[in-house]
Amino acid sequence: MSPVSPETQVNPRHSAHAHLVVVHPPFATPPQPNERPPATAHDPGAARAAVLSLSTVSAVRREDAPSRLEHPGSPTDREELDGVRAAVWGSTVKISDPALVEDGVLASALEDEFQAQRKKHPDARIVAVCERDFGASYTKILVAVPGTPDLMVEGFDELEITGDPRATLTAVGIDLDPLGEGYDIGDEGFFDYDGFLHMLTGGALSVYADEERFESAFVVDRSKEGEDSICEVWFP
């Protein structure tokens, strides 16, 4: 696909973000849904290495000083789509990259990166999440936990589950019975996906108003895969 010029505007009605979390052993006790994770020192060098490991990135063009963890904003133009944020807290790696957003139809950047990281780190717990609203809301969640089959949650208005969330949580040492409503995996029951991801990632995807954790921000050069993904999803 032909590159898009940096000043090309993203449709203002379109918003999306994608996250990748890799949790290496030894694993800490998973937090409860309402339990705040401890503040652990951020490793900027390891964050840079994690960004360079992505298939969507060919080089780091600029690195800013670490800042407090925050929810990533949705890019407004092509230039902002080269912004990648990453944090490494102990054994946990968290990356936010708009080039990993999928459209729910043909694009596969999130799943491709999930599988690539899974092969690189077979002993790790890996979670990939994409949320996209381009007029219709689309969500995709991919989870790999050693010792249990992979889990996928995907859909536009209604989410379909492939795999067993209960088995996935049990495999990471979470007892669902005390959690009560919101964790009944029945066909008609509400499921708390935010709490589910909080427990699986050790709170890596949760952001607090008085956040004490830090992350690094990078401007990257895109690989062919990254450029193609951005053109396909953000500028179809």
Side-chain angles (χ1 to χ4, degrees):
M1 294 184 179
S2 299
V4 177
S5 61
E7 67 276 7
T8 303
Q9 297 293 300
V10 171
N11 188 322
R13 294 173 294 179
H14 293 179
S15 63
H17 59 264
H19 305 293
L20 176 72
V21 178
V22 180
V23 183
H24 297 279
F27 303 115
T29 301
Q32 295 297 297
N34 60 352
E35 184 180 358
R36 182 168 180 161
T40 303
H42 165 57
D43 184 339
R48 183 187 180 95
V51 169
L52 287 169
S53 78
L54 297 175
S55 61
T56 55
V57 173
S58 64
V60 170
R61 195 186 320 156
R62 189 182 81 234
E63 178 178 350
D64 296 333
S67 59
R68 293 187 186 277
L69 180 69
E70 60 182 17
H71 289 296
S74 191
T76 60
D77 58 30
R78 171 63 190 85
E79 187 172 23
E80 290 187 0
L81 285 160
D82 287 335
V84 178
R85 304 184 76 88
V88 176
W89 306 304
S91 62
T92 298
V93 179
K94 181 220 173 187
I95 301 171
S96 300
D97 182 358
L100 295 178
V101 171
E102 292 188 6
D103 60 6
V105 183
L106 297 175
S108 61
L110 187 76
E111 189 151 2
D112 291 347
E113 189 61 46
F114 171 79
Q115 295 297 346
Q117 294 290 330
R118 194 169 175 270
K119 288 180 181 178
K120 289 178 186 176
H121 310 293
D123 297 330
R125 298 170 183 169
I126 301 174
V127 177
V129 181
C130 160
E131 292 184 317
R132 172 184 182 271
D133 189 348
F134 282 23
S137 296
Y138 171 72
T139 299
K140 187 170 188 176
I141 300 170
L142 300 165
V143 180
V145 172
T148 192
D150 288 357
L151 176 72
M152 180 171 73
V153 180
E154 181 184 29
F156 284 88
D157 295 322
E158 295 185 5
L159 300 181
E160 295 185 3
I161 299 174
T162 302
D164 185 348
R166 180 176 286 272
T168 299
L169 291 174
T170 299
V172 301
I174 297 168
D175 182 3
L176 285 179
D177 291 335
L179 296 179
E181 188 177 357
Y183 296 91
D184 177 6
I185 319 295
D187 290 340
E188 302 301 325
F190 164 74
F191 189 67
D192 179 6
Y193 287 104
D194 289 338
F196 175 72
L197 292 171
H198 182 81
M199 292 185 286
L200 281 179
T201 66
L205 293 174
S206 303
V207 179
Y208 299 88
D210 54 345
E211 188 58 71
E212 299 175 353
R213 295 171 295 176
F214 281 72
E215 64 181 346
S216 294
F218 303 87
V219 177
V220 303
D221 291 329
R222 290 299 182 185
S223 63
K224 182 181 184 302
E225 291 86 351
E227 190 69 37
D228 286 350
S229 175
I230 286 171
C231 291
E232 183 176 21
V233 172
W234 292 90
F235 304 101

